[in-house]
Amino acid sequence: MNKRITSILLCFVMMFSMLATAVPALAAPASTCTFTVEADKSEAHRGDTITFTVYMQQTGKQNTLEFTVVPPEGLTYVANSGTAAEGISETLGWTLAAEGAGWTEQSMYYSGFGAYSYTGTEKIVLMTFKCTVDDDAAFKAYEFGLVDHWADDETYNTKNAVVVPAEFSVLAKPVAVTGLTIDETLSVKTGESTTPSYTVNPAEATNKAVSFKSDNPAVATVNETTGEVTGVK
């Protein structure tokens, strides 16, 4: 009898062991930090100034953050334009001695540290800065992110930090039309039609679209799009 009871008990132990093994452990949610850079315009021209804003949104707990601003080729940082968001240390709760968050102009470096964790999850502004578009900047789409970005929690474990870059395009400025020249003088008979040739100046004008009209339709009509002239009388 004792052997039978022992055998049954062993079966139960094995079954419970298998059930415990089959149930997966629930992993704790990852602690994240997202830095987002946004531009105040989606399109710019050479010589324009663009204002950039850096945001942060995190989950979990955060005790440090850092990143460096490095403009992409074609943009030049405007000296002394970098400014930490007003009251950012208070927003993060990092206000004790040796704590705080701020911008270092000389090294283009932003950093923050707190002895106590920031646990807010809203999207907050960290700083703003400005760049000008170089006179020889390529006409193309640009991305402006951050380099050497970093964040960790209260136990100095690295958070999953990512950067969402600003996206914008540098476009050529429109070239205005300065004039239009009809290259010939036309003479048409009643019922006949002819189309004049013309030149739009300058040759590199952005929009060379031309429309035509007659100042005396009773004598001659003109096709608005092609310029074809038809004699009436």
Side-chain angles (χ1 to χ4, degrees):
M1 178 66 80
N2 289 338
K3 291 183 179 180
R4 184 179 178 186
I5 294 173
T6 302
S7 177
I8 292 173
L9 289 175
L10 285 173
C11 287
F12 276 114
V13 171
M14 291 177 66
M15 289 175 63
F16 281 118
S17 178
M18 291 173 65
L19 288 172
T21 304
V23 177
L26 296 177
S31 181
T32 65
C33 178
T34 300
F35 298 108
T36 303
V37 186
E38 296 183 5
D40 68 342
K41 57 187 70 176
S42 60
E43 296 180 349
H45 302 109
R46 289 173 174 175
D48 285 355
T49 298
I50 305 175
T51 299
F52 295 93
T53 303
V54 181
Y55 297 86
M56 183 190 79
Q57 190 169 22
Q58 73 92 47
T59 61
K61 296 181 178 181
Q62 185 156 329
N63 288 67
T64 65
L65 67 95
E66 62 182 58
F67 58 80
T68 303
V69 172
V70 179
E73 185 176 357
L75 270 65
T76 298
Y77 174 76
V78 176
N80 300 311
S81 67
T83 305
E86 184 176 356
I88 184 59
S89 295
E90 288 75 15
T91 298
L92 296 169
W94 299 346
T95 57
L96 299 177
E99 292 185 335
W103 168 251
T104 303
E105 178 78 14
Q106 185 176 3
S107 57
M108 304 279 282
Y109 173 69
Y110 192 100
S111 63
F113 167 75
Y116 296 94
S117 300
Y118 170 68
T119 58
T121 57
E122 67 275 15
K123 185 177 179 180
I124 61 174
V125 176
L126 294 179
M127 70 170 300
T128 60
F129 62 91
K130 297 180 179 181
C131 288
T132 55
V133 181
D134 297 342
D135 292 337
D136 59 352
F139 301 129
K140 65 174 186 177
Y142 286 78
E143 286 190 351
F144 195 150
L146 305 168
V147 300
D148 300 329
H149 56 283
W150 177 273
D152 63 24
D153 60 21
E154 79 283 5
T155 57
Y156 303 104
N157 289 320
T158 301
K159 295 168 68 72
N160 181 20
V162 297
V163 174
V164 179
E167 297 181 352
F168 60 95
S169 297
V170 174
L171 307 177
K173 287 185 177 181
V175 178
V177 172
T178 59
L180 182 145
T181 304
I182 300 293
D183 298 332
E184 57 186 315
T185 300
L186 300 180
S187 178
V188 295
K189 295 180 179 180
T190 301
E192 293 183 349
S193 299
T194 188
T195 302
S197 58
Y198 60 90
T199 302
V200 177
N201 299 310
E204 63 273 17
T206 302
N207 184 359
K208 294 185 178 181
V210 177
S211 61
F212 301 85
K213 69 177 181 177
S214 171
D215 66 352
N216 192 347
V219 174
T221 60
V222 178
N223 183 288
E224 181 180 356
T225 304
T226 66
E228 181 184 58
V229 180
T230 302
V232 176
K233 72 174 182 179

